[in-house]
Amino acid sequence: MKRKLLFVLVVFAATVVMMAVQKPVFLAYYAAEAAEAGFGGWCRVLWHGLSLDMTVAGYVTVVPLLVTLLSLWVRLPQRLWRGILTGYFVLIALVTAAIFAVDIALYEHWGFRLDSTILIYLADPKEAMASVDFWLGVRQLLLFALYAAAMIWGYRRVLRLFDGEPVGGLGALFGSLAMVMLAGFDFLAIRGGTGASVANVSKVYFSPVLFLNHAATNPVFSFLSSLGDHKDYAAEYPFYDEPTRAAKFEALRGNRPDSAPTRHVLRTERPNVVVVILESFARTVMDEQVDGEPVMPHMRRLREEGIWFENFFANSFRTDRGEVSLLSGFPAQTRTSIMKLPGKSRSLPSLARSLDSAGYATSFSYGGDLNFTDQASYMYATGWQELVWQKDLHFATTPSDWGYDDAVMCDWFADRVIDLDRRGEPFLAGLLTLSSHKPFDVPFEKFENRILNAFAFSDECVGRMVERLKASPAWDNLLLVLVADHGYPYPRSLTYNEPLRHRIPMIWTGGAVAAPCVVEEYASQIDLCATLLGQLGLPHDDYDYSKDIFAPAPPRKFAYYTFNDGFGVVDASGAVVWDATTQQTVSGDDPELLEIGRTMLQTTYVDISRR
């Protein structure tokens, strides 16, 4: 019985080692790029890469575990059991070696680890092979053969531990229970741990140096996890033929050459910039009162003190999509999230990259797990130099299910901004709050309604953070942007697709703001990048969808958002909501707004297909 258990454990451990050995080979293959990492960098690549190595090992171990479980009860010849396992291990070795050999060669040309993109080229094998240099083919075949042979040799040694004799009786029963327990641990390895985020490429990202993150990525996981992403995005919403779509979008694009100069609302062109993304801060909650007492008194006060955007909307209903809209000026999608497609999200423009090129230091902070929905992968790939999150923070208080609450994080973040200001270099600092999220469990008691109570808590924390910044020298040259990641269905009578569900607050405050004002133009999260960069006098030519809110028309000012099966468009003339399932409008009948929505949705997916 002990041999059976040991066999399963050794299969898992041996597979982890076989996957981990790919990393020093990859680093040696690209020695020039790896030279600056040093020994410590190589060690960090191995350490951080273990997460996905164990996930792949978990998948590989499933079949040996099931075979071992069956062998407790079923009597078959040892030769047959071993033949089944040998065939399985040979298949695993050949597939792994093929993926690794192809991946390590393509990285030089693609700049990212192997994913389902290769299937596009394998659709025409003759053309694909025509671009392969003869000696490159020979070299990669040798690498494939050596690695496959090494894996097969290793698995054959592990197979010596296998015992196919049935146990029977109580021994089989207890052995089955032990196997079930091992299966539980194997599931955790496959899932990527017990945290909120499941296994994804972002799990291994740890450095602003993208090459090191790529070196830590398991190519087998990268390829297999992206297989479902291989689809024709451009064909998702074929409203118009391509020339018509392009012409219609040209009239809507944000970086048009005929745009007039922006109206400046800041008193300095190079302020330090802080963007605080407020979890689920809906306009309906901000406007709510309980017995005459505002739920968000601090947001209401800040609205009067700074620049208030009266008609501002979220582009989606999820944090990952809202973040991309805010930080990259890229519209949210209906049934997918580009943040979860690392091979595509890395090519997006970003506020961090734009400000980095202007000499700004960039950092983003979150009290929870930035591996969730591939946030870390997206942020490192789009130019954020430093990410600080739960694994880096150590407070006396116990974190909630989502991470450290807003009271802890807002106090810490205020100190961080003050410290960044002391360094004397321009900076962009981001923070994502988390307490105003289900299960709404906060150390605060003000309202009986748990939802409103949690929002009141976050409002209190943000208000206190702002007051601390006001009292510091950092305030004088600070532009603080407070903006929600998405709305919230409050009251419950709000339908998921109506405009009010997506209306959110955005406030610009800080010593860099010239004077308080109310902005009446209709806009959405995708417009933040162009608007902010326009105020800083920085180019925003690569933000096709982002419009400078302070620039006179054209283009037309509107707010666009998506939900799982459709879109909405809102402007001063009204609103239209279109449902993809029924292929008809749910509300509104303005043909111009409907055309805008269709153009934006189709263009977004055409854009994704090209990345």
Side-chain angles (χ1 to χ4, degrees):
M1 186 62 216
K2 289 182 179 179
R3 286 187 63 186
K4 291 180 182 292
L5 295 174
L6 182 63
F7 168 69
V8 175
L9 292 171
V10 173
V11 167
F12 180 85
T15 305
V16 171
V17 172
M18 293 173 190
M19 296 297 156
V21 78
Q22 296 175 2
K23 291 160 185 58
V25 174
F26 179 87
L27 289 166
Y29 198 97
Y30 292 100
E33 291 84 349
E36 296 183 5
F39 179 72
W42 285 49
C43 290
R44 286 193 295 274
V45 165
L46 283 166
W47 173 252
H48 288 277
L50 279 177
S51 173
L52 292 186
D53 292 341
M54 289 192 289
T55 292
V56 173
Y59 280 112
V60 170
T61 306
V62 169
V63 170
L65 194 153
L66 291 175
V67 169
T68 305
L69 178 61
L70 282 173
S71 74
L72 290 169
W73 300 92
V74 179
R75 181 178 295 278
L76 290 175
Q78 284 274 9
R79 180 177 294 179
L80 180 57
W81 284 127
R82 291 178 180 273
I84 293 171
L85 288 169
T86 298
Y88 173 72
F89 287 137
V90 168
L91 177 63
I92 293 297
L94 293 176
V95 170
T96 301
I99 290 174
F100 181 52
V102 172
D103 165 79
I104 205 169
L106 286 180
Y107 183 81
E108 177 183 358
H109 307 285
W110 286 8
F112 56 89
R113 301 308 291 265
L114 189 70
D115 62 15
S116 61
T117 304
I118 192 174
L119 299 179
I120 299 172
Y121 304 100
L122 291 181
D124 189 346
K126 184 178 179 180
E127 185 175 333
M129 291 304 297
S131 61
V132 177
D133 174 77
F134 174 77
W135 291 112
L136 173 64
V138 170
R139 186 178 65 194
Q140 298 314 114
L141 280 173
L142 285 174
L143 177 62
F144 163 78
L146 286 171
Y147 188 51
M151 288 189 70
I152 293 170
W153 180 87
Y155 279 132
R156 286 179 65 86
R157 297 301 178 276
V158 173
L159 195 54
R160 292 176 180 177
L161 295 172
F162 177 73
D163 178 9
E165 290 297 321
V167 177
L170 284 176
L173 180 62
F174 286 118
S176 297
L177 291 174
M179 287 296 167
V180 169
M181 290 183 64
L182 284 181
F185 287 113
D186 197 53
F187 170 76
L188 287 179
I190 291 172
R191 187 183 183 278
T194 59
S197 62
V198 296
N200 56 62
V201 172
S202 184
K203 281 273 189 181
V204 301
Y205 275 47
F206 68 97
S207 170
V209 180
L210 203 55
F211 171 77
L212 296 181
N213 297 325
H214 290 164
T217 301
N218 186 295
V220 177
F221 181 89
S222 177
F223 174 69
L224 296 179
S225 65
S226 67
L227 286 178
D229 303 333
H230 181 62
K231 61 180 180 181
D232 187 359
Y233 289 99
E236 284 285 290
Y237 298 100
F239 298 117
Y240 310 108
D241 59 59
E242 180 54 24
T244 303
R245 180 210 62 78
K248 288 181 180 295
F249 181 66
E250 197 62 31
L252 303 176
R253 67 185 310 122
N255 57 1
R256 290 175 54 173
D258 59 347
S259 296
T262 188
R263 172 170 63 94
H264 286 279
V265 296
L266 304 181
R267 63 180 181 84
T268 175
E269 197 174 71
R270 285 292 186 273
N272 295 319
V273 180
V274 170
V275 179
V276 178
I277 302 176
L278 306 163
E279 173 64 52
S280 303
F281 267 40
R283 178 67 183 273
T284 52
V285 178
M286 182 176 168
D287 291 343
E288 183 65 291
Q289 296 185 36
V290 177
D291 297 329
E293 186 173 2
V295 172
M296 294 188 182
H298 296 281
M299 287 292 287
R300 290 190 175 199
R301 171 178 53 81
L302 293 170
R303 174 175 63 185
E304 304 300 324
E305 296 176 359
I307 301 173
W308 167 247
F309 295 79
E310 173 65 24
N311 297 301
F312 197 75
F313 290 77
N315 285 107
S316 183
F317 59 97
R318 291 289 305 269
T319 300
D320 53 311
R321 304 178 198 186
E323 281 183 327
V324 173
S325 297
L326 286 167
L327 303 177
S328 289
F330 192 80
Q333 302 86 61
T334 50
R335 295 186 298 273
T336 191
S337 170
I338 195 170
M339 182 181 278
K340 297 178 183 178
L341 307 175
K344 295 181 180 292
S345 66
R346 66 169 62 91
S347 67
L348 294 174
S350 79
L351 198 58
R353 190 180 291 129
S354 293
L355 291 183
D356 174 44
S357 65
Y360 279 67
T362 62
S363 66
F364 193 90
S365 304
Y366 178 52
D369 185 358
L370 277 182
N371 284 322
F372 194 64
T373 65
D374 277 308
Q375 285 171 287
S377 168
Y378 158 73
M379 287 182 171
Y380 273 135
T382 54
W384 291 89
Q385 299 162 4
E386 181 183 24
L387 301 183
V388 181
W389 40 295
Q390 188 176 350
K391 68 179 180 59
D392 307 304
L393 301 167
H394 305 284
F395 301 117
T397 182
T398 302
S400 67
D401 291 341
W402 283 102
Y404 290 112
D405 66 43
D406 291 348
V408 173
M409 287 304 300
C410 285
D411 287 347
W412 173 86
F413 188 68
D415 289 336
R416 178 171 178 78
V417 170
I418 293 169
D419 181 62
L420 289 171
D421 179 71
R422 290 195 189 105
R423 300 179 189 180
E425 297 179 356
F427 64 86
L428 165 67
L431 172 69
L432 173 62
T433 68
L434 57 75
S435 293
S436 45
H437 191 292
K438 289 181 180 180
F440 302 111
D441 184 16
V442 296
F444 188 76
E445 293 182 10
K446 186 174 183 180
F447 300 112
E448 290 185 11
N449 184 302
R450 284 175 60 86
I451 297 172
L452 297 183
N453 187 65
F455 279 105
F457 171 70
S458 293
D459 175 74
E460 173 80 18
C461 298
V462 171
R464 187 170 62 247
M465 176 182 67
V466 174
E467 290 306 307
R468 290 191 62 187
L469 292 174
K470 275 186 182 179
S472 75
W475 185 258
D476 293 339
N477 191 41
L478 184 67
L479 171 60
L480 172 61
V481 178
L482 302 172
V483 60
D485 58 347
H486 54 77
Y488 187 79
Y490 181 90
R492 293 181 65 88
S493 58
L494 270 184
T495 58
Y496 68 100
N497 57 10
E498 68 178 288
L500 190 56
R501 165 69 171 82
H502 298 273
R503 197 172 188 178
I504 59 172
M506 183 165 77
I507 300 169
W508 287 18
T509 187
V513 172
C517 67
V518 176
V519 179
E520 298 286 352
E521 281 83 359
Y522 280 75
S524 63
Q525 290 170 325
I526 55 175
D527 300 320
L528 174 63
C529 287
T531 305
L532 180 54
L533 292 171
Q535 290 298 307
L536 304 185
L538 296 174
H540 45 87
D541 300 339
D542 49 348
Y543 296 86
D544 289 343
Y545 307 89
S546 190
K547 303 181 297 297
D548 186 341
I549 301 171
F550 295 112
R556 182 171 179 171
K557 302 295 174 64
F558 62 87
Y560 163 81
Y561 64 87
T562 62
F563 43 92
N564 251 25
D565 52 3
F567 64 76
V569 183
V570 192
D571 73 357
S573 68
V576 66
V577 177
W578 181 82
D579 181 82
T581 305
T582 61
Q583 295 286 311
Q584 61 186 18
T585 55
V586 176
S587 63
D589 57 3
D590 187 327
E592 290 188 15
L593 292 181
L594 183 61
E595 185 176 286
I596 288 172
R598 285 175 169 170
T599 302
M600 291 290 290
L601 184 59
Q602 183 178 0
T603 301
T604 301
Y605 276 79
V606 168
D607 194 344
I608 291 174
S609 73
R610 293 171 177 172
R611 292 183 181 273

